[in-house]
Amino acid sequence: MLKNGFSIKHERREIVGDLTRLYVNAEGSSFIDVPTAEIEHFEAAPPEPVDPPAAARVPRTGALRPASSPTPAGFPQRPVTDLSQVVNEASGRYRLDPDLVNSVIKAESDFKVRAVSPKGAQGLMQLMPGTAAHLGVPNAFDPQANVEGGTRYLRELLERYNFDMVKALAAYNAGPQAVEHFQGVPPYYETKAYVARIVKDFNKKKIAQGKASVPKSNVAKSNSNGAKSNPTATARKNSKYTGTTVASAQGK
């Protein structure tokens, strides 16, 4: 249970520096790194719901009442959103790797639902108000709406740049106009560091799964001459999605 109201279901966990690594599958090949300070507590995951037999769904008399779930002592009850489920559902709709979406969320907001940047970007995937409006996100602090809009926008940027992940990430951070003006990653320290951070985190997950998304020699890296652009195999697999490109600059 995170302090921001999310819950992340996981099979096991370990401490890595000031982060807690949550392994979301039994094999340990997929994980999410969360700042330990942002974790409120741990509790046993509820059992998966089982549909009752048809005859038992509607009682002959009276009404069904939901069973109340006990709240751990000392912790106030709050709405719970399963971050893994939100990311997986949005990634499935826009045919993106959920590990990539998680890496973007980590770089953008460090999983803080109410994060606001100095320039006004909001929520988990740090949507600028104009971008959120174009994407149909009325409340950027709604976790599900924010991740839905941010994932859609990332997909549109990947299509716009022929599935070059580095250019798409640079546009997500600095705006498409900046990427097109400089014909690649803008020479901004913040943008180059942002792209390198996401690519490193994403490829770390892929390497942990034993199937890195690009050959080692092609992994995008940032150096003193700027970020190197290389499309990822994962992004290219799903290149048939068609959507309306959002013209407004994200420009955070």
Side-chain angles (χ1 to χ4, degrees):
M1 303 291 293
L2 306 184
K3 291 179 180 177
N4 61 18
F6 276 119
S7 70
I8 302 178
K9 187 182 292 187
H10 58 284
E11 300 294 330
R12 62 185 178 89
R13 59 185 178 269
E14 65 176 318
I15 303 297
V16 182
D18 58 353
L19 303 173
T20 297
R21 179 164 293 175
L22 305 175
Y23 292 91
V24 297
N25 62 0
E27 297 78 18
S29 59
S30 185
F31 57 84
I32 299 172
D33 287 334
V34 178
T36 302
E38 295 299 318
I39 297 174
E40 186 173 86
H41 68 283
F42 296 98
E43 62 182 60
E48 294 294 332
V50 178
D51 289 334
R57 287 177 189 165
V58 181
R60 293 177 182 273
T61 59
L64 287 176
R65 294 183 180 179
S68 57
S69 353
T71 301
F75 296 105
Q77 192 163 0
R78 63 173 69 194
V80 171
T81 303
D82 186 328
L83 178 59
S84 299
Q85 182 179 347
V86 169
V87 170
N88 287 340
E89 288 177 356
S91 300
R93 269 189 288 278
Y94 298 106
R95 299 200 289 280
L96 291 182
D97 189 324
D99 284 338
L100 175 59
V101 176
N102 273 317
S103 294
V104 171
I105 293 173
K106 180 180 178 181
E108 287 288 349
S109 67
D110 211 9
F111 300 98
K112 294 180 175 66
V113 175
R114 300 201 65 82
V116 180
S117 79
K119 293 185 179 179
Q122 300 173 336
L124 285 167
M125 297 189 75
Q126 291 287 276
L127 300 177
M128 292 295 285
T131 305
H134 277 285
L135 293 167
V137 178
N139 178 12
F141 296 117
D142 176 338
Q144 287 181 292
N146 187 289
V147 172
E148 177 79 16
T151 303
R152 173 185 162 189
Y153 185 54
L154 182 58
R155 174 73 196 199
E156 290 171 351
L157 291 172
L158 282 163
E159 291 186 349
R160 182 170 182 156
Y161 298 108
N162 195 30
F163 294 88
D164 184 324
M165 188 170 77
V166 170
K167 284 184 180 178
L169 291 172
Y172 195 100
N173 177 261
Q177 288 85 348
V179 171
E180 283 150 25
H181 175 75
F182 290 103
Q183 298 183 346
V185 178
Y188 310 146
Y189 173 80
E190 177 194 343
T191 300
K192 291 193 291 182
Y194 169 89
V195 171
R197 190 161 64 250
I198 292 175
V199 170
K200 180 180 179 182
D201 187 68
F202 176 64
N203 280 313
K204 180 173 69 174
K205 290 180 171 69
K206 296 296 104 181
I207 290 168
Q209 294 170 15
K211 49 177 182 181
S213 61
V214 290
K216 187 175 181 181
S217 60
N218 288 336
V219 173
K221 297 178 181 178
S222 177
N223 54 38
S224 58
N225 296 322
K228 180 179 178 182
S229 293
N230 286 296
T232 68
T234 301
R236 284 191 180 279
K237 285 181 184 177
N238 300 311
S239 59
K240 292 183 179 178
Y241 168 80
T242 3
T244 305
T245 299
V246 177
S248 64
Q250 176 79 347
K252 304 189 293 298

